[in-house]
Amino acid sequence: MRSIFFVLTVTILSMISCTMHTEKETDVTDDFQYTVEQFADIRILRYPVPGFDELTLKQKELLYYLSQAAIEGRDIIFDQNNKHNLAIRRTLEAIWENYKGDRTTDEFKAFEVYLKRVWFSNGIHHHYSTEKFEPGFSKEYFQNLIAEIGESEFPVSKDEINNTLVPVMFDPDIDAKRVNQNEGDDLIVTSANNYWGDAITQAEAESFYEAKRDPADPEPIWHGLNSRLEKEEGALVEKTWKVDGVYSAAIEKIVFWLEKALAVAENEQQKQVIEYLVDYYKTGNLRTFDKYNIAWLADQQSRIDFVNGFIETYGDPLGIKASWESVVNFKDVEATKRTVIISDNAQWFEDHSPVDPRFKKEEVKGVTAKVITAAMLGGDCYPATPIGINLPNADWIRKEYGSKSVTIENITLAYDKAAQGNGFLEEFCYSNDEIELQKKYGFIADNLHTDMHECLGHGSGQLLPDVNGDELKAYGATIEEARADLFALYYIGDDKMVELGLLPDGDAYKAAYDDYIRNGLMTQLTRIKLGDNVEQTHMRNRQLIARWAYLNGFEGNVIEREEKGGKTYFVIKHYKKLHDLFGELLAEVQRIKSEGDYEAAKNLVEYYAVKIERDLHKEVLERYEKLNLAPYSGFVNPVYIVDKDSAGNITGVNLDFSEGYAEQMIRYSKEHSWLPVYN
Ligand code: ZN
């Protein structure tokens, strides 16, 4: 479970020193170039990797192998997102590399932007809204480009490009949306992802996996997680993603690097983790995947850690099929002291939460949290990346073995640095006080929110004995994110935070509250087209909480809607009352989850989280446009430079940060692309 917490609003000017947040000694120089470029609604950034130099050569070597394993699966996510994505990407790249005509025209520039967007989204659908984006050039222009380049340069025949790919790219009705969550639609038929074969209906998909469920199994595997379901001669067949299965060519490469990593693993436990993962990639056996997850949870000693696999299910409207991703990282030892305090107090937080005792964990197990430094992003975490991750996702493993939760602080640092002085706060904050509060405490409060969300929020609470966890269906993910956010919001406003030294004083939490309300009611709307509803899980969750608090605190004047110079602002008048409201909603959301109350989940989400006030949306978009900012960011990776001696032994590993965006993308497509056009 990941939180793509909206960090765009933070424009901290100086980091504050307090008990837990002393400014770190890093090997990041002041002239590190955080911003790479901006196009469409996207800003490309670079993340520094502070602490890399102090690692041992063996650790660096391990990071190198894992980083290669992280890049090799890139084609998989393209194919998972839509079956035509690889054909389209390679066609566009062939043009970009071979076109000899005028590259300075508006149409060619629009073509380049389109290619950059396809790279960014791992396909033709917006990475966040999941809607297909329109090329900014005409179909005729595109067909002219095709005509000017030799047939052999393309991944498929020119006929196929013109007859199949051109309609997919240009006809707005074909594959319009990657993940459709619209209540009442057939979510499988209307979603353009490649997790479900053609002609499979939602009812068929649901009953197929319903039939596989074994309610008597205390350790239920996640059926369908690592396969595509297809219809063959009327029968439904699972096509597993594994060595010698679908995606074999890419998975073999991943396995190759994992086996290299095995030789330089830091300890036996980490070795075990890698062995299970390799075994799972070779067999596709989901019981082995569970063993891998349990071994991974038990690996607490290693400095270096990684995620590599079919992990998150946001790309499937039914939440069954997982996208391929990788995050390679190492522990930020200094900053982890903060999360250790949080996890050491996990039981206190659970015991004092405002939820019904029946829904609380009597014993909170294995909540481990750390702050990490990302060293390579891959698959569904590249170029757009989460800033916090909490895994594994299987409920029974979380209950029996706990979960591992991370905050990726070199990513939040990069966001923060890149946002300095961009005018965003000045536009959407009501007063100077609000701006100052945000500048003073925003970075601290945001990081703490992410820690609490990942480390305690997702791990808190329990289901009633006869509840499975999948009763909430399409609303489950939003409710789960709301639960984690509310847990964080509730406790950030508790005196305990100052007592534990996690926040410097009793005002710091107010910055988190201001930010949350401002974002949930207004600024996150900058990511949505006028006329559309809120669709994305995390955005739904944030609007749900903010709107619920606004409307339910209306009589008590908790949050006031103000107007100044024709501009709307939401201003918190009573922070403590808001804290109590968050507690109230947390209790209800936990009840819904624990009881599996589908109707209540549906009502809550549909009433608060989905619809947008049109006039306000229009206003926010206009105000935002004037700032000339991009609402989404993603990252280029560092390049691993490896020195070897004459015998081929690695003698040094260094990171280079100079690679550009297109340069990196085209290099990955040449050096790390293994899959056939159609899989
Ligand atoms: Zn989350």
Side-chain angles (χ1 to χ4, degrees), residues 664-679:
Q664 180 158 98
M665 288 295 177
I666 206 80
R667 183 170 67 82
Y668 284 1
S669 294
K670 281 180 180 163
E671 296 175 4
H672 304 280
S673 181
W674 310 105
L675 295 185
V677 175
Y678 289 95
N679 291 273

Side-chain angles (χ1 to χ4, degrees), residues 9 11 13 419-432 435-436 439 518 564 567 569 623 627:
T9 56
T11 59
L13 294 177
Q420 285 180 11
N422 68 9
F424 188 83
L425 283 183
E426 288 71 11
E427 179 59 44
F428 291 104
C429 290
Y430 182 64
S431 64
N432 276 332
I435 295 170
E436 288 310 315
K439 285 180 178 171
R518 197 167 57 231
K564 200 167 63 177
K567 293 175 179 179
Y569 302 87
R623 287 162 69 183
L627 298 173

Side-chain angles (χ1 to χ4, degrees), residues 1-3 314 453-454 458 481 484 538:
M1 295 171 201
R2 64 169 62 156
S3 80
Y314 299 109
H453 172 113
E454 298 295 349
H458 281 306
E481 290 310 320
H538 294 84

Side-chain angles (χ1 to χ4, degrees), residues 39-58:
F39 54 87
D41 56 356
I42 306 291
R43 182 182 53 161
I44 303 294
L45 303 175
R46 211 174 253 127
Y47 58 91
V49 188
F52 184 84
D53 293 345
E54 71 197 37
L55 299 173
T56 66
L57 178 60
K58 197 178 164 199

Side-chain angles (χ1 to χ4, degrees), residues 174-246:
I174 297 177
D175 287 355
K177 194 146 198 202
R178 178 162 61 80
V179 189
N180 181 26
Q181 301 274 18
N182 235 354
E183 164 81 4
D185 292 350
D186 185 313
L187 303 183
I188 297 299
V189 172
T190 57
S191 291
N193 62 51
N194 192 21
Y195 294 117
W196 306 91
D198 295 336
I200 292 178
T201 65
Q202 182 177 349
E204 284 172 324
E206 281 171 346
S207 66
F208 183 85
Y209 285 107
E210 185 60 38
K212 282 192 176 282
R213 215 172 68 189
D214 176 8
D217 187 349
E219 301 182 350
I221 57 171
W222 194 303
H223 286 288
L225 184 78
N226 63 337
S227 64
R228 182 164 62 223
L229 190 67
E230 291 202 351
K231 202 181 255 182
E232 282 181 349
E233 292 163 12
L236 295 176
V237 192
E238 275 186 327
K239 298 283 178 80
T240 304
W241 307 321
K242 65 183 188 72
V243 171
D244 292 332
V246 177

Side-chain angles (χ1 to χ4, degrees), residues 259-328:
E259 285 176 338
K260 290 244 180 211
L262 207 48
V264 287
E266 292 179 274
N267 50 56
E268 287 305 310
Q269 186 62 37
Q270 190 174 54
K271 221 172 242 178
Q272 177 76 83
V273 173
I274 299 171
E275 277 166 358
Y276 277 137
L277 183 58
V278 167
D279 186 23
Y280 161 65
Y281 272 136
K282 287 180 176 172
T283 60
N285 187 334
L286 287 166
R287 296 239 179 247
T288 309
F289 181 61
D290 285 347
K291 282 187 194 161
Y292 151 78
N293 278 313
I294 293 163
W296 179 73
L297 285 173
D299 180 10
Q300 298 294 337
Q301 297 310 314
S302 306
R303 179 83 192 266
I304 288 159
D305 203 353
F306 70 104
V307 174
N308 183 310
F310 302 103
I311 308 291
E312 302 285 2
T313 58
Y314 299 109
D316 171 14
L318 298 188
I320 294 172
K321 310 280 177 197
S323 61
W324 189 87
E325 70 174 40
S326 184
V327 176
V328 179

Side-chain angles (χ1 to χ4, degrees), residues 69-97:
I71 310 174
E72 304 288 22
R74 176 168 171 258
D75 280 356
I76 297 175
I77 185 66
F78 272 86
D79 189 75
Q80 286 182 316
N81 282 343
N82 183 272
K83 68 178 175 190
H84 299 296
N85 275 339
L86 284 172
I88 291 173
R89 188 191 84 201
R90 288 175 187 163
T91 298
L92 300 173
E93 286 170 347
I95 296 170
W96 194 68
E97 294 238 281

